[in-house]
Amino acid sequence: MATEATTASKFQDPDLRPVSQFKPETAHDGLRFWQFMIAGSIAGSVEHMAMFPVDTIKTHMQALRPCPLKRVGIREAFRSIIQKEGPSALYRGIWAMGLGAGPAHAVYFSFYEVSKKFLSSDSNNSAAHAASGVFATVSSDAVFTPMDMVKQRLQMGEGTYRGVWDCVRRVMREEGFGAFYASYRTTVLMNAPFTAVHFAAYEAAKKALVEVSPERVGDEEGWLVHATAGAAAGGLAAAVTTPLDVVKTQLQCQGVCGCDRFTSSSISDVLKTIVKKDGYRGLLRGWLPRMLFHAPAAAICWSTYEGVKSFFQDFNGDPNTA
């Protein structure tokens, strides 16, 4: 038996954490699983609520309508929304976002933290960060996609729906439960690389900033490290996944306010329709507001998340910092 144990230890990867030593109820960083969920929920809600008007503009720019298409910039989209419906239209659908963002981000960050610790004991393992991000987004998108669809239909609605529950009831009655998940496959295919790039870039940028200015990590300016790293990671990830975001928006807004309706949720069919009607530039519609959304949103999200984690660490009496 001793020989077997010695042999097994020789082939054990020092970067991998043995399953027997992994305890999800205590997680890591001195926090418990439920504390990661609360931190993620608060961070996600603050992020999306703060940046909601920019998201509304992006949705209007990406929606594909049967009328002749022309390039619409941020200024034109903003002016059109304000002139037609007033400033309040920028916040239409925000309650759907609130209902979805909190629970989804609770799942998102808690799965990320637990997966990161499970996959590797090395805090600088970029592959583990990327893989953990993919696991987190597949799980959280299952929670968030239905309310994201409701949110985008309300953003485009122009009076089509009276509110969140009216939209839910009508979609269920007219299109069936499957309509809430029509874009789920596209969302996962978009968010998997988005999150892999985002988390890997965030952890790498945070590490680099800490090495440049280690004295600021533990003081009141530590939030700036998280915000800067988050903004860089969010902007980069948003830029490379814009085409799939356009597909997702059109699947979720189909049939609303003259937007095209598709016979299937096939990604290739939607891509062909976009290219046919708007050329390849159509795949990049809304890329700028998407970056303008995700860069500050990620900065807000990560600094809020790390701040709440720090609060729980003090509450638990754990001296470690994130």
Side-chain angles (χ1 to χ4, degrees), residues 2-3 5 12-13 17 19 37 39 44 58 67 70 81 85 117 125 153 156 162 221 244 246 263 276 300 316:
T3 302
Q12 186 175 11
D13 187 337
R17 178 174 296 278
V19 174
M37 294 189 73
K58 180 205 67 127
C67 57
K70 63 178 181 180
I81 294 170
E85 304 171 74
K117 199 64 176 178
N125 190 327
R153 290 199 177 201
M156 291 296 301
R162 294 194 300 272
E221 295 184 15
L244 284 172
V246 175
T263 56
K276 181 179 179 180
I300 293 169
N316 294 342

Side-chain angles (χ1 to χ4, degrees), residues 30-31 34-35 308-318:
L31 302 185
W34 65 267
Q35 292 174 323
V308 177
K309 280 176 59 178
S310 179
F311 167 80
F312 278 129
Q313 287 167 345
D314 292 339
F315 178 82
N316 294 342
D318 191 291

Side-chain angles (χ1 to χ4, degrees), residues 1-3 19 21 50 54 69-70 79-80 84 138-139 142 158 169 179 215 228 234 251 255 266 270-271 274 278 281:
M1 294 296 292
T3 302
V19 174
Q21 296 181 12
V54 181
L69 296 171
K70 63 178 181 180
R79 186 184 300 119
S80 175
K84 289 182 179 180
V138 171
S139 304
E158 298 178 1
R169 285 193 297 269
E215 70 279 359
T228 304
L251 283 171
S266 168
V270 179
L271 286 171
I274 295 171
D278 200 21
R281 70 179 185 182

Side-chain angles (χ1 to χ4, degrees), residues 39-186:
S41 179
I42 293 173
S45 297
V46 171
E47 165 200 357
H48 285 284
M49 297 296 187
M51 300 303 300
F52 195 82
V54 181
D55 184 64
T56 298
I57 293 172
K58 180 205 67 127
T59 297
H60 277 260
M61 291 177 67
Q62 289 182 339
L64 186 63
R65 307 186 188 216
C67 57
L69 296 171
K70 63 178 181 180
R71 300 196 69 174
V72 178
I74 297 176
R75 188 180 305 171
E76 291 81 2
F78 175 77
R79 186 184 300 119
S80 175
I81 294 170
I82 296 299
Q83 289 178 347
K84 289 182 179 180
E85 304 171 74
S88 62
L90 294 170
Y91 291 91
R92 188 191 293 113
I94 195 169
W95 294 116
M97 174 62 75
L99 289 171
H105 280 73
V107 172
Y108 186 75
F109 280 104
S110 57
F111 269 63
Y112 171 69
E113 295 285 1
V114 172
S115 297
K116 181 173 69 172
K117 199 64 176 178
F118 177 79
L119 290 174
S120 177
S121 58
D122 179 8
S123 61
N124 297 320
N125 190 327
S126 297
H129 297 155
S132 298
V134 173
F135 293 149
T137 197
V138 171
S139 304
S140 65
D141 283 342
V143 177
F144 188 58
T145 297
M147 276 302 166
D148 188 46
M149 184 276 287
V150 173
K151 180 265 298 183
Q152 287 202 310
R153 290 199 177 201
L154 289 173
Q155 286 176 321
M156 291 296 301
E158 298 178 1
T160 303
Y161 302 106
R162 294 194 300 272
V164 174
W165 301 117
D166 179 56
C167 180
V168 170
R169 285 193 297 269
R170 288 181 56 183
V171 170
M172 181 69 77
R173 183 176 65 248
E174 297 169 8
E175 303 175 53
F177 181 77
F180 291 102
Y181 283 93
S183 69
Y184 178 66
R185 179 173 52 185
T186 305

